Amino acid sequence: MSAPSIASKEAVVVILDIGLGMTSSASSKNSNSNNNNSNGDSNNTTPIEDALKSVTLLYQQKLIYGKKDELGFVLIGTKGTKNNLQADGYQHITVVNDIEEPTIETLKYLENLSPGESKGDVIDALIVGMDMLIHKTEKKKYQKRIFLVTNAKDPINTDDLSIVKDQFKKIEAKLNIIGIDFTDEDILEEKVSLTDKEKNEKFLREFAESVEGVLVPVKQALEMMSFFRSQSVLQRTSFRGNLEIDELKIPVWGYLKMKQQNLPTLKKISALSQETQNPVTLDVKQENMYYSITDPDNEIPQDELLKGYKYGKSLVPFSKIDEDALKFSTDKCLKVIGFTDRLSVPVYYNMGSSEVFSSVPGDTNSEVALSAFIHALAETDQVMIVRYVKKNSGAPYLGYLLPKIKPTYECLYFNALPFTDDIRQYQFPPIAPTNPLTRKQFIPNQQQLDAAQNLIDSMDLMNAEHDEDGDPIPLLRPRYTYNPLLQHFYQCLHHRALHPNTAIPKLDAVISAYINPDEQILEKSKHSILEFSTQFPLTKTANYKPTSDLRYRWKDGMLVGEEITLDSYVTDDGSELKKRKVNDFSEFSLDKLVSGFVDQVGTINPVQNFKDMLARRDIDLVDKAITLMKERILQLVNDSLKDQYYQKALDCVKELRLGCIKESEPDQFNTFIKELKSSFQSKKRDDFWQVLVEYNVNLISMEESDSSEITADEANSFLERKSSTQSIAQPVANANTDSIDDLFDQIE
C-alpha cells in the first residue's frame, strides 16, 4: 500500500491579539517577574511589541522561503469588525487579508500597526480562522495551520469549545500558540490560587494539547524565527535506487544531509517597467543576437550556430551532435567497490555535500539487510568505498559510506573522496625532541609545551557552555549556529524593502556573537594567553635583510623578477609616468614550471636545483638539499681538471651559505666549510681553498644568523691565507695543459 501524498503547499492563518490586554506597559510585566516568565530578555518591551516582532519574523520566513505557502492575517481586539462571520456575533475581529501569497505590503502594515481599542475572544478568532481555511482548501490540497499570538489576558468564552476541537480534527489543521508573557508551566502547576490571566494560560495549554497542537513561549519563538534558514531539503530524496554489493542489491533512499550555503541569486528589475501603470514584467532578461561577419545585415538564428575550435590556423566546427557523441555516459548507481579501515579515511578527506542513505520506508526486507551491513561496518570499524552516480548521465563520484547508529534510527553517511590533486599537503618541520630531524631551534621546552596545552584547554569550545542542569555542553554547535553572512544579508534585504532610502543596519548582536570570541571564554583564558605570550615572545630580527631570491610558482612565472603595480609607472613625486617596460617572459622557462617537482641536486644546474628544493612547500626537503649540495660540491672539486669546475663549485658554496642562513641551518654550513679547510688547505686541492679565501667565503656568524654559535672574531680568524706556488689571479680559468704528462697528473 502506497503512502498518502503530502501537499507541498501550506495555507496559514496568523491570528494576532492586539486587544486591550496586550497593550499593558512594561511595569505590568515586571509584576510577574517572580513567576519566572519565559520572556526574560524582553523586560524593556510591551507584549504587543513582542507579538508584532514574532509575526513579522514569521512573515519574513514565509516571504523568503515559503514561496508556495499562502497566509491570511487576522487581528483580535480591533475597534471595528470585518470577517465573514460577523453577523453571527464574532465581534472585534478583523480579517486584514485573506489567505494569499505573502507580500511586502503586509510587512509594511505590521510596522505601522497600532494597538487595538477593544477586547476580543481568541476562541472566536480561531473559528474565523478555520472558516477561512475551509473556504481556501475546499478545492485545492493544502497543509493547514493556524498561528495564534496572544498573552491570554482578555476573557475567553469556552461555550463553543467542543465544536472548535472537533473542527480542528475534521479539517486536519495544526495549531501553534505563541504565548506572550506566559508563566512557566512548572510554577503554574505548583500555585494554589491563579489569576484570571493564569487561568487563561492553563486553558490554552490544555486546549493546544487536545488538538495535538503546541504552545511555545515568545522567547523561544523569537529564537527559532530570528534566523533565516534554507528551505528544508531533508524531506526530499536525492537518490532512489539500489546499494549494489556484487550481486546483492538493497533498495535505499538518499537524502541531502549537508551542503554549502551560498547567497541567493538576485535578479535585475526594470525601473522603467516599474514606472508604468501596468508593467508587463519587471525582470530584465538579456537577449543575444548573432550576425555574420561577411553579411552583417542578416541575423543568424541561434539554432544554426556551431561551436568552433582553433587547430593551428584552421577553425574546426563542433556541433551539438558531436558533443553529445563524445560526452561521457553514466548510469545511475550506488555500487560498492570495496571496504577499508575507517582510519584510512581521515576527516579532512571529506569533500562537498554530505548525504544520508536509509532503507526504503515500509520495506522491511531492505531495512533488515541494510541494518546488517551497518552493524557489520560499525563492529569491524570499516567503511564502504563506493561509486555514486545520482542520475543517468550524471557526474560520477568516488566516496565512502560511514555507518551511523542511533537509538531511534540507523543509516549510512556518504562523503565524496578527493583525488590526489585535490589534497593540499602542508608539512611542517617536526618539533618532537626525539625526532632526529628536528632542528634544535624548534624544540620547545616543557614550560612552552605546558603553556600551549593550557591555552588550548582554556579555550576549548566543547565545554564552554552549560545546560539547564549545569552540565557542560559544546558552544557554537553547528545545529544551532547559522551562517552569519546569510543572516546579515537577509536582515539588510528586509530593512531595505521597508526603508529603501535609509542606510544598511548594523550587524545584529546575535550575529556578532558568532564571529567574535566569546567574552566569558576570553575572561577564562586570559591567564593562559598571557603565559603563552610570555613563553613564546615575538622579537624583531635586527639584522634581517630581505633577499631578492624568488621562489617560483606557477603564478610567479608570469611575472618573473618584478611585480607590475601602479608604483611601477609613477614617479616619487607623482609628476610623470616612468617609461619602463618589464619583459614578463624574460626568464620564463620550462625549468621554472617543473621546479616544484625537483628533489635532487644535479650536476648541470645545481644552484637552481638547490633553490627549488628549498622552495618546496608540499614536503620539507631542506636537510636533503643541504646534504646533496655538499656532495655535489665535493664531486665538482675532485673531478675538476685543474680549475675547470671551480667556478661552478664556488657558486654552489655561496648558494649553500645563503640557503643555510635563510633556513636557520648555520651549523651545517660551518661544519662543512671546516671540513673543506681540513681536506684542501695545504694539500692537493689547496688552489680551490685559496679561491674560497679570495672570495671571502667565511663561517656564518651570530650577526648573520641567530642560530649560529660562531662569534665575529672567530669568523674573522677562520680564513688564513697560505702562501701557494700557484698564483690565483683568476680563480676560474680554462684547463690548459702543457703536456700529456700534466694531464695524467691531474687525473691522478
Side-chain angles (χ1 to χ4, degrees):
M1 181 177 179
S2 60
S5 60
I6 300 176
S8 58
K9 294 184 178 180
E10 187 174 47
V12 181
V13 175
V14 180
I15 303 174
L16 174 61
D17 189 354
I18 60 170
L20 294 176
M22 290 285 290
T23 58
S24 303
S25 61
S27 60
S28 65
K29 294 176 65 177
N30 293 337
S31 63
N32 291 332
S33 60
N34 294 331
N35 294 336
N36 190 24
N37 69 61
S38 59
N39 193 20
D41 64 342
S42 57
N43 289 332
N44 296 325
T45 59
T46 62
I48 188 67
E49 291 173 341
D50 291 336
L52 282 173
K53 185 176 181 180
S54 62
V55 174
T56 301
L57 291 173
L58 174 62
Y59 261 88
Q60 287 179 10
Q61 296 283 347
K62 291 295 184 181
L63 184 64
I64 294 173
Y65 295 119
K67 296 181 180 180
K68 296 182 179 181
D69 298 342
E70 299 182 16
L71 281 78
F73 190 29
V74 179
L75 296 177
I76 309 174
T78 57
K79 184 177 181 180
T81 302
K82 180 185 175 183
N83 61 76
N84 294 334
L85 303 178
Q86 62 186 32
D88 298 328
Y90 295 89
Q91 300 298 309
H92 304 297
I93 299 173
T94 300
V95 177
V96 178
N97 58 266
D98 290 324
I99 301 175
E100 59 187 14
E101 293 183 0
T103 61
I104 294 293
E105 282 68 26
T106 306
L107 291 175
K108 294 179 179 179
Y109 177 85
L110 285 169
E111 191 176 39
N112 300 318
L113 183 62
S114 302
E117 302 176 7
S118 303
K119 294 181 179 180
D121 188 0
V122 295
I123 297 298
D124 289 348
L126 289 175
I127 295 175
V128 172
M130 282 191 291
D131 180 69
M132 295 170 63
L133 287 175
I134 292 172
H135 284 85
K136 180 66 179 180
T137 61
E138 60 183 355
K139 294 182 179 180
K140 294 183 179 180
K141 195 168 185 178
Y142 288 87
Q143 296 185 56
K144 296 172 278 291
R145 188 185 303 272
I146 294 179
F147 280 91
L148 173 61
V149 185
T150 181
N151 68 344
K153 194 170 184 180
D154 290 334
I156 299 177
N157 184 6
T158 60
D159 293 342
D160 300 329
L161 187 60
S162 59
I163 299 175
V164 177
K165 291 181 179 179
D166 294 339
Q167 195 66 25
F168 259 102
K169 296 178 181 178
K170 182 178 179 181
I171 67 174
E172 297 181 348
K174 298 178 181 179
L175 176 63
N176 294 87
I177 300 177
I178 298 178
I180 308 294
D181 222 9
F182 271 38
T183 306
D184 189 86
E185 186 177 6
D186 296 334
I187 297 178
L188 198 63
E189 294 293 335
E190 296 176 357
K191 297 188 69 172
V192 178
S193 59
L194 304 176
T195 63
D196 292 340
K197 180 180 183 304
E198 291 171 340
K199 291 179 181 178
N200 290 340
E201 292 177 13
K202 186 175 181 180
F203 163 75
L204 288 178
R205 291 182 190 275
E206 294 174 352
F207 175 75
E209 293 178 0
S210 65
V211 296
E212 298 181 356
V214 293
L215 189 149
V216 181
V218 68
K219 178 183 178 181
Q220 185 178 350
L222 292 176
E223 289 177 350
M224 291 188 296
M225 294 189 295
S226 293
F227 300 99
F228 298 95
R229 300 169 175 83
S230 299
Q231 287 180 300
S232 178
V233 294
L234 297 181
Q235 302 300 325
R236 300 196 299 269
T237 56
S238 59
F239 176 84
R240 293 191 183 189
N242 295 322
L243 174 62
E244 303 178 26
I245 309 173
D246 198 10
E247 299 296 330
L248 177 64
K249 297 182 179 180
I250 303 175
V252 293
W253 283 9
Y255 305 87
L256 189 60
K257 177 67 175 174
M258 180 277 300
K259 70 172 184 177
Q260 182 181 358
Q261 178 63 60
N262 298 318
L263 288 178
T265 56
L266 302 179
K267 294 182 179 180
K268 292 183 178 180
I269 302 298
S270 171
L272 181 62
S273 181
Q274 283 182 309
E275 294 174 357
T276 60
Q277 294 182 353
N278 297 314
V280 178
T281 178
L282 296 180
D283 294 346
V284 177
K285 295 182 179 179
Q286 181 178 357
E287 294 184 357
N288 298 322
M289 292 180 289
Y290 303 93
Y291 300 90
S292 172
I293 297 177
T294 58
D295 189 8
D297 295 331
N298 294 328
E299 182 181 352
I300 302 175
Q302 188 173 1
D303 56 358
E304 295 183 7
L305 296 175
L306 291 178
K307 292 182 180 179
Y309 296 91
K310 292 195 69 175
Y311 183 76
K313 295 183 179 181
S314 303
L315 195 64
V316 180
F318 196 74
S319 66
K320 180 66 176 176
I321 299 175
D322 298 329
E323 187 176 349
D324 294 338
L326 296 177
K327 188 176 181 180
F328 180 66
S329 179
T330 57
D331 295 327
K332 175 181 174 182
C333 72
L334 181 63
K335 186 177 296 185
V336 177
I337 298 176
F339 301 86
T340 187
D341 293 335
R342 183 172 179 177
L343 296 178
S344 301
V345 186
V347 176
Y348 59 85
Y349 276 11
N350 295 348
M351 293 186 62
S353 304
S354 296
E355 297 184 37
V356 55
F357 288 92
S358 62
S359 58
V360 177
D363 189 342
T364 306
N365 293 331
S366 68
E367 182 178 355
V368 173
L370 189 64
S371 177
F373 276 98
I374 292 174
H375 282 269
L377 291 172
E379 292 175 5
T380 58
D381 200 22
Q382 290 194 328
V383 295
M384 295 180 180
I385 306 298
V386 296
R387 182 179 190 266
Y388 179 36
V389 182
K390 291 186 179 182
K391 59 182 180 180
N392 292 334
S393 300
Y397 294 93
L398 178 67
Y400 71 99
L401 294 175
L402 177 71
K404 186 69 174 180
I405 301 176
K406 289 286 187 178
T408 55
Y409 67 90
E410 299 173 354
C411 64
L412 292 168
Y413 284 165
F414 170 83
N415 286 287
L417 288 172
F419 293 98
T420 302
D421 294 340
D422 297 323
I423 301 175
R424 303 293 185 268
Q425 297 286 359
Y426 297 103
Q427 296 193 11
F428 301 94
I431 62 172
T434 57
N435 194 320
L437 299 178
T438 304
R439 305 174 196 172
K440 65 179 182 179
Q441 66 269 25
F442 295 154
I443 300 178
N445 56 40
Q446 189 59 42
Q447 290 79 9
Q448 291 175 324
L449 291 173
D450 294 341
Q453 186 62 51
N454 293 335
L455 177 61
I456 294 173
D457 294 340
S458 64
M459 302 190 74
D460 186 5
L461 293 179
M462 297 306 295
N463 299 315
E465 201 172 25
H466 295 81
D467 58 12
E468 298 176 353
D469 299 329
D471 297 328
I473 57 175
L475 183 67
L476 297 179
R477 286 172 289 177
R479 183 187 295 266
Y480 307 108
T481 305
Y482 302 98
N483 187 335
L485 177 63
L486 189 68
Q487 302 303 314
H488 188 55
F489 170 80
Y490 278 122
Q491 287 178 351
C492 295
L493 187 66
H494 171 238
H495 180 82
R496 274 296 176 86
L498 301 180
H499 311 284
N501 298 323
T502 59
I504 292 177
K506 295 182 179 180
L507 189 65
D508 188 86
V510 178
I511 302 176
S512 179
Y514 285 168
I515 62 178
N516 291 296
D518 187 86
E519 294 182 359
Q520 295 182 354
I521 295 180
L522 288 179
E523 179 65 25
K524 177 183 175 183
S525 59
K526 64 179 182 180
H527 298 294
S528 301
I529 296 174
L530 179 61
E531 177 64 20
F532 185 83
S533 61
T534 303
Q535 292 294 333
F536 295 91
L538 298 178
T539 57
K540 184 177 181 180
T541 304
N543 297 321
Y544 173 74
K545 294 181 180 179
T547 62
S548 59
D549 173 52
L550 292 178
R551 296 184 175 182
Y552 289 98
R553 302 174 182 84
W554 171 258
K555 63 178 182 179
D556 298 326
M558 305 308 295
L559 288 173
V560 177
E562 185 173 358
E563 181 181 1
I564 301 177
T565 63
L566 183 62
D567 296 335
S568 302
Y569 300 93
V570 182
T571 58
D572 295 336
D573 57 2
S575 58
E576 61 180 0
L577 296 178
K578 291 183 179 180
K579 296 181 180 179
R580 182 177 63 180
K581 183 178 180 181
V582 178
N583 184 4
D584 297 344
F585 300 95
S586 59
E587 299 180 19
F588 189 68
S589 65
L590 183 62
D591 291 339
K592 291 182 174 56
L593 289 180
V594 301
S595 61
F597 303 98
V598 174
D599 58 0
Q600 295 291 331
V601 176
T603 57
I604 298 176
N605 195 356
V607 172
Q608 186 62 48
N609 296 157
F610 181 71
K611 290 181 179 180
D612 294 338
M613 290 183 68
L614 296 184
R616 289 280 293 270
R617 286 298 173 261
D618 56 334
I619 187 173
D620 186 1
L621 296 178
V622 174
D623 292 330
K624 182 179 180 181
I626 293 174
T627 302
L628 293 177
M629 184 58 111
K630 293 177 183 178
E631 295 175 356
R632 193 62 61 222
I633 292 171
L634 293 175
Q635 179 185 359
L636 290 171
V637 175
N638 292 325
D639 292 349
S640 177
L641 294 176
K642 289 192 174 180
D643 55 0
Q644 181 183 10
Y645 299 139
Y646 282 6
Q647 181 64 59
K648 181 177 286 190
L650 174 64
D651 294 339
C652 291
V653 175
K654 288 181 178 180
E655 190 58 41
L656 176 62
R657 190 175 190 276
L658 291 176
C660 289
I661 294 175
K662 185 185 303 181
E663 299 296 337
S664 300
E665 294 288 353
D667 291 346
Q668 293 208 45
F669 178 80
N670 292 340
T671 302
F672 176 67
I673 201 69
K674 291 177 181 179
E675 292 175 354
L676 290 182
K677 181 178 181 180
S678 175
S679 300
F680 296 153
Q681 188 180 30
S682 301
K683 295 182 181 179
K684 185 175 182 179
R685 292 292 179 177
D686 179 73
D687 52 349
F688 177 72
W689 175 251
Q690 297 304 323
V691 171
L692 298 180
V693 173
E694 184 73 21
Y695 281 86
N696 197 27
V697 182
N698 206 344
L699 296 171
I700 300 175
S701 64
M702 295 179 180
E703 296 180 353
E704 296 176 284
S705 175
D706 295 336
S707 303
S708 176
E709 299 178 354
I710 302 298
T711 63
D713 295 337
E714 291 176 338
N716 293 332
S717 62
F718 176 72
L719 295 179
E720 297 177 357
R721 296 180 180 272
K722 296 280 186 178
S723 59
S724 177
T725 57
Q726 181 181 358
S727 174
I728 312 206
Q730 295 294 332
V732 178
N734 294 329
N736 297 322
T737 55
D738 296 331
S739 65
I740 193 67
D741 295 333
D742 294 334
L743 178 61
F744 281 109
D745 290 339
Q746 292 295 331
I747 296 175
E748 293 176 356

